[in-house]
Amino acid sequence: MTTGWSVFVIIGTVVTVIASFWLIFWSSAQGPEAPDTGHSWDGLTERNEPLPRWWLWLFILTLIWGLGYLIMFPGFGSQAGVLGWSQAVQYDEEIATAEARYAPLFERFAALPDDELVASADALAVGRSLFANYCSQCHGSLGRGATAFPNLTDDEWLYGGSLAAITVSIVNGRNGIMPPFGGVFPNDAGLDEMIAYVRQMPTGQDTDSPAHQTYITVCSACHGPTGAGLQALGAPALNDDIWLYGSSPDAIRATIVNGRQGQMPAHGKLLGENRARLLAAYVYSLSNSESIETAAAK
C-alpha cells in the first residue's frame, strides 16, 4: 500500500469512529421531552426518543472493541498493529507447519526409481490426493478432461506421456499456441474445404481434396504431413478421433480462424520436486494401468 492510500485509510477510519461516537452520544443526550420530528400518522406523532440504555451500551462496547482491534491488528492503513499479524505471516507459518509434518511422507518416495514409484500403491495413493487438490478442477476427478482440458486417461499426449515428460509439464507448465490462420483463406469456400479435410483425417488422408496442398503448406510443419502431430511443439495429432476443442465444423472453424491459446499453469513452486513427481506418477498410472499392474506383480 502506498503512503497516500495509507493516509487516506487512516483518516477515513478515524473520522468514521469519531462520527460514530458523536452520533451515539448525541442521540442519547435528548431531554425528558423528546423533540417532535414533525411526522404524524392518524393522530400519532413521531418523536426522537433516545435509545434504550442496553442498546446504547451495546453500541459503545462495539466501538471500544473496534478500537482495540485496530490497535492490535492491521487497520490503520499500512500500520502492522501491535501483534504484528498479517496474512502473509500466517500463510508462511501454516506452510512451514505443513512442510514439517508432510515432508517425511514425500521424501519416503523420493529415492525410488521410476518403475518402482509407479508400481507403489502407497505412492499412487498420495498422488491421487494431490491430483484431487491440484488437478481435478480442470481435468476432472477421474482425469477424463473436458473441452480445452486434455483427457489424461487415454494414450494421446500433447507433450509426451513418459513419467519425465509429465513431471516437466507439472513443474514448468505448458503454453500451447495455435496461431490464427483466417487470413490464409480468402473466401468461405476454401475454409470450408479445409474444415472438411481436417474432419476426415481420422479415417485417412484425402490427397485428392483441394485443401490437401494448403494443409501441406500451412499446417504440416506443426501437425506433420500425415497429421500425426509433433510432441516437441505440443501440436496435437489430427489423424485420430480425439479433439481437444471439439470436432464440429464450428469448433474447427474457430480454431483455424482465431487460433487457440492453451495454458497449463506451472506448479513447481507450489508443489516442490518430490510432490510433483508423485503427482506425475499418478497421472502416468491413469493411462498405463496394465503395465503398472504387471510391474507391481513382478
Side-chain angles (χ1 to χ4, degrees), residues 257-277:
V257 173
N258 303 322
R260 298 289 186 181
Q261 304 289 325
Q263 184 180 31
M264 159 71 182
H267 286 71
K269 292 183 179 180
L270 186 64
L271 291 171
E273 181 180 353
N274 292 339
R275 281 182 291 183
R277 187 164 173 261

Side-chain angles (χ1 to χ4, degrees), residues 42-268:
D42 297 331
L44 300 176
T45 300
E46 180 185 15
R47 297 184 180 278
N48 187 14
E49 296 287 350
L51 293 172
R53 288 298 173 182
W54 68 269
W55 199 356
L56 175 66
W57 279 106
L58 184 62
F59 278 123
I60 294 174
L61 291 174
T62 300
L63 286 172
I64 293 174
W65 180 88
L67 287 174
Y69 183 91
L70 291 172
I71 293 172
M72 303 300 289
F73 294 93
F76 286 116
S78 59
Q79 302 299 313
V82 174
L83 297 180
W85 178 91
S86 71
Q87 296 179 81
V89 171
Q90 181 175 345
Y91 174 80
D92 291 339
E93 290 176 350
E94 291 178 357
I95 289 296
T97 300
E99 287 292 339
R101 180 178 180 182
Y102 296 111
L105 174 64
F106 299 124
E107 291 175 357
R108 169 186 167 193
F109 304 105
L112 289 179
D114 288 354
D115 56 343
E116 294 184 23
L117 183 67
V118 298
S120 169
D122 292 340
L124 296 183
V126 175
R128 184 183 302 110
S129 297
L130 293 170
F131 184 89
N133 287 326
Y134 295 101
C135 312
S136 61
Q137 295 85 349
C138 293
H139 295 284
S141 58
L142 299 178
R144 293 177 181 172
T147 301
F149 300 102
N151 183 350
L152 304 178
T153 64
D154 56 24
D155 198 30
E156 292 293 326
W157 298 89
L158 290 174
Y159 296 92
S162 66
L163 182 60
I166 297 172
T167 303
V168 171
S169 295
I170 293 172
V171 172
N172 300 329
R174 299 289 188 180
N175 289 286
I177 299 175
M178 163 72 180
F181 286 103
V184 173
F185 303 95
N187 52 60
D188 287 341
L191 181 57
D192 290 339
E193 290 173 354
M194 177 57 73
I195 293 171
Y197 177 83
V198 172
R199 295 191 74 211
Q200 60 80 40
M201 288 187 75
T203 61
Q205 198 167 23
D206 183 6
T207 57
D208 295 329
S209 169
H212 175 69
Q213 189 56 49
T214 303
Y215 173 85
I216 295 298
T217 303
V218 178
C219 312
S220 63
C222 294
H223 296 284
T226 62
L230 185 61
Q231 290 183 349
L233 298 177
L238 303 178
N239 59 4
D240 55 24
D241 200 25
I242 297 175
W243 303 87
L244 189 57
Y245 294 94
S247 60
S248 68
D250 289 341
I252 297 175
R253 180 186 299 273
T255 300
I256 294 175
V257 173
N258 303 322
R260 298 289 186 181
Q261 304 289 325
Q263 184 180 31
M264 159 71 182
H267 286 71

